[in-house]
Each structure stands twice: as structure tokens, then as C-alpha cells.
């Protein structure tokens, strides 16, 4: 059973992402790529209403708001700092921003979308069920997220050096996420994606991960590594990949697009 985060941990995560909002996009290379990949897989037909969950600084928001300038677009995120940055970066008149997490975002909408956010959900099946209820008949749910196996180079080396420092939670597996598909959903896309980034030195790697908000929270080791342990882990990663001249970090991701059946109008009986 996956342990749930405490209210204090949730509040800490919101504060962490708010603090990193101003510099987030400078290190969010994978997240930007994944937002673009998801947008490419969403059908082009213009909706009347869009609900985005976990909009962050607006990586996906800017793409879709420009694509659909006439739709009513509601972008939500629980971190006020992220929302404020998104407002500044996304001045489109059809955009409305609201502070809410994915479990409390409200439609209805023709498309409910989310990129690089739902992996933070404490109960992903419950979150997806809630978002599916916000989708209008004939609309869809499109989302991308990080999967188990992400940052495996760090996890494998950490487990070898410090076997007792395990994270409280693991990222979801691709097959498990696909298994959460609603029974009435039509599959448009269910795609597993892999991307590898390379960092010349451990310092650049840690700066990027910290700036993206992934060095704390439920996927970080518990207890947290001490500075001496981090230094040892950094040296081990550098030595293991010395032949490459850089430290590789692997990201496992998924893009999923599900379509809801259109409502059927039955003709009334004539007397």
C-alpha cells in the first residue's frame, strides 16, 4: 500500500514549487519537452472549454492557449508562486487561473489536460476518476507524467551505497496507469517515452534536479542523505560514468489521451 503524504508534507511541496517558480523553466528541459510531446498528441479540433491541472509555470498552457485562442481556458495549480509566474508568461485574454490541486479542480470541460504533474498525486486512480468526471461527453482527458525508472542511475547507486535510504513512494508504472483507464474511455494514445539527459558534473545535475523540485518530497530518500552521503553518491556517479565524460539521467514518461463517448440523443416517441 502506498503511504499518503501528511498535510505538512503537502504544504511543504507547495512552498517548494512556489519558491522555484522564477527559475523553474531554466532547468525543466524534460518537462518542457514532455509538454510539447503531449500537445502534439491532442487532437487539433478546437474545444469550447479546457481545464488544465498542475499548470506550473505554463509550459503546456502557452501551447494550448495559443492553439485555441477562442476557448475558455482554466489553468489550475496548488502553488501560488507557479500560478503567478504562469500569469506573467501567459497573458492570453481567454485564460483564467485558479489555485487548486487536481483532486479539487472543477469543470466541466471539453478537454481536461495535465503535464508532468499527476505523478505527485497521492492516489492516482482517485485523481484520474475525478478528472474524468469533469470531461464533457465527446471530450477527453490528456495527460503526461513521470514513471517508475526515472532517475534510475541515481536510485541504483544510492541503493548500492545506502540501502536503508529508500523513498516513501515510487513513481507509478506505465501498465498500472493504463489500467486506470475508465471503462467507457476510447484510447487515442497510450505511449511510453524515454529521454536521457547528460550532465558534465554532479553539481550541474543536482542544481537542475533541485530547481525542478524533485530533490525533496515523497520520492526522495528517507531519511534524507547527509551532505557527506551526497558527496559520496556524487563521486560514485561520476566514477561509474567516467567513460562517458558525463552523468546520464534517464527519464521514463508517458503520454495518455482518452476520449469520452459523445452523448446520444434518443428521439422522443410520438403519440
Amino acid at each position: 500500500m502506498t503511504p499518503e503524504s501528511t498535510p505538512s508534507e503537502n504544504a511543504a511541496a507547495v512552498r517548494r514549487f512556489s519558491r522555484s517558480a522564477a527559475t523553474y523553466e531554466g532547468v525543466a528541459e524534460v518537462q518542457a519537452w514532455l509538454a510539447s510531446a503531449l500537445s502534439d498528441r491532442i487532437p487539433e479540433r478546437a474545444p469550447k472549454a479546457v481545464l488544465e491541472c498542475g499548470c506550473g509555470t505554463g509550459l503546456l498552457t502557452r501551447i494550448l492557449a495559443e492553439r485555441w485562442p477562442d476557448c475558455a481556458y482554466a489553468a489550475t495549480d496548488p502553488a501560488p508562486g507557479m500560478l503567478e509566474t504562469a500569469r506573467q508568461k501567459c497573458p492570453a485574454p481567454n485564460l483564467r487561473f485558479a489555485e487548486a490541486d487536481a483532486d479539487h479542480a472543477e469543470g466541466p470541460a471539453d478537454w481536461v489536460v495535465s503535464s508532468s504533474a499527476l505523478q505527485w498525486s497521492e492516489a492516482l486512480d482517485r485523481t484520474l476518476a475525478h478528472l474524468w468526471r469533469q470531461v464533457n461527453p465527446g471530450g477527453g482527458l490528456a495527460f503526461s507524467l513521470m514513471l517508475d525508472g526515472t532517475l534510475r542511475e541515481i536510485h541504483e547507486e544510492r541503493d548500492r551505497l545506502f540501502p536503508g535510504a529508500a523513498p516513501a513512494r515510487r513513481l507509478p508504472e506505465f501498465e498500472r496507469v493504463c489500467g486506470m483507464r475508465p471503462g467507457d474511455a476510447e484510447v487515442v494514445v497510450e505511449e511510453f517515452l524515454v529521454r536521457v539527459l547528460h550532465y558534465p558534473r554532479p553539481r550541474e545535475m543536482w542544481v537542475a534536479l533541485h530547481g525542478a523540485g524533485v530533490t525533496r518530497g515523497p520520492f526522495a530518500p528517507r531519511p534524507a542523505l547527509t551532505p557527506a552521503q551526497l558527496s559520496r553518491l556524487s563521486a560514485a556517479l561520476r566514477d561509474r560514468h567516467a567513460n562517458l565524460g558525463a552523468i546520464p539521467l534517464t527519464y521514463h514518461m508517458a503520454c495518455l489521451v482518452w476520449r469520452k463517448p459523445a452523448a446520444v440523443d434518443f428521439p422522443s416517441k410520438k403519440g
Side-chain angles (χ1 to χ4, degrees):
M1 180 178 294
T2 300
E4 293 194 356
S5 302
T6 66
S8 61
E9 288 174 323
N10 291 337
V14 168
R15 290 193 300 269
R16 185 172 68 251
F17 278 106
S18 283
R19 287 195 302 267
S20 67
T23 57
Y24 178 80
E25 292 194 17
V27 295
E29 179 180 346
V30 168
Q31 290 83 353
W33 179 85
L34 190 54
S36 178
L38 178 62
S39 71
D40 289 342
R41 289 157 175 78
I42 299 175
E44 290 283 343
R45 184 177 177 181
K48 294 181 179 178
V50 174
L51 171 64
E52 182 180 355
C53 301
C55 68
T57 58
L59 292 169
L60 179 63
T61 317
R62 297 197 292 274
I63 298 172
L64 296 183
E66 181 178 351
R67 178 189 297 179
W68 298 321
D70 298 323
C71 79
Y73 198 118
T76 67
D77 197 281
M82 287 286 190
L83 281 176
E84 182 56 34
T85 299
R87 285 191 187 97
Q88 296 171 9
K89 290 177 175 288
C90 311
N94 62 321
L95 275 169
R96 175 176 59 86
F97 293 94
E99 189 175 323
D101 62 26
D103 289 318
H104 298 92
E106 296 293 336
D110 300 316
W111 278 101
V112 175
V113 301
S114 179
S115 186
S116 300
L118 295 184
Q119 69 270 3
W120 296 102
S121 172
E122 297 172 2
L124 184 58
D125 53 350
R126 181 186 66 200
T127 300
L128 291 175
H130 168 74
L131 296 180
W132 189 246
R133 290 193 293 271
Q134 312 312 308
V135 178
N136 286 329
L141 172 61
F143 64 101
S144 64
L145 74 172
M146 303 293 173
L147 297 173
D148 189 41
T150 292
L151 308 182
R152 62 179 178 81
E153 294 85 357
I154 292 177
H155 297 316
E156 289 171 359
E157 202 64 27
R158 182 204 64 219
D159 291 345
R160 183 181 70 82
L161 294 172
F162 315 112
R169 283 168 36 201
R170 297 178 65 92
L171 289 165
E173 297 176 344
F174 179 65
E175 293 78 9
R176 178 170 171 264
V177 178
C178 293
M180 297 177 188
R181 182 191 324 115
D184 60 341
E186 172 197 350
V187 175
V188 179
V189 172
E190 289 182 342
E191 187 173 355
F192 178 79
L193 303 167
V194 178
R195 190 170 173 87
V196 181
L197 300 187
H198 293 83
Y199 296 91
R201 290 174 296 275
R203 183 180 184 281
E204 285 84 350
M205 177 191 72
W206 294 122
V207 167
L209 293 177
H210 185 72
V214 300
T215 55
R216 294 288 187 273
F219 305 118
R222 295 185 181 181
L225 299 183
T226 66
Q229 289 174 321
L230 279 174
S231 179
R232 187 179 170 193
L233 176 58
S234 297
L237 286 165
R238 184 184 60 241
D239 293 345
R240 169 166 286 200
H241 303 290
N243 61 317
L244 295 176
I247 300 171
L249 286 187
T250 300
Y251 289 81
H252 287 182
M253 302 159 285
C255 285
L256 301 98
V257 181
W258 299 331
R259 175 82 77 172
K260 180 175 282 191
V264 178
D265 292 328
F266 294 97
S268 59
K269 295 181 179 181
K270 296 182 179 180

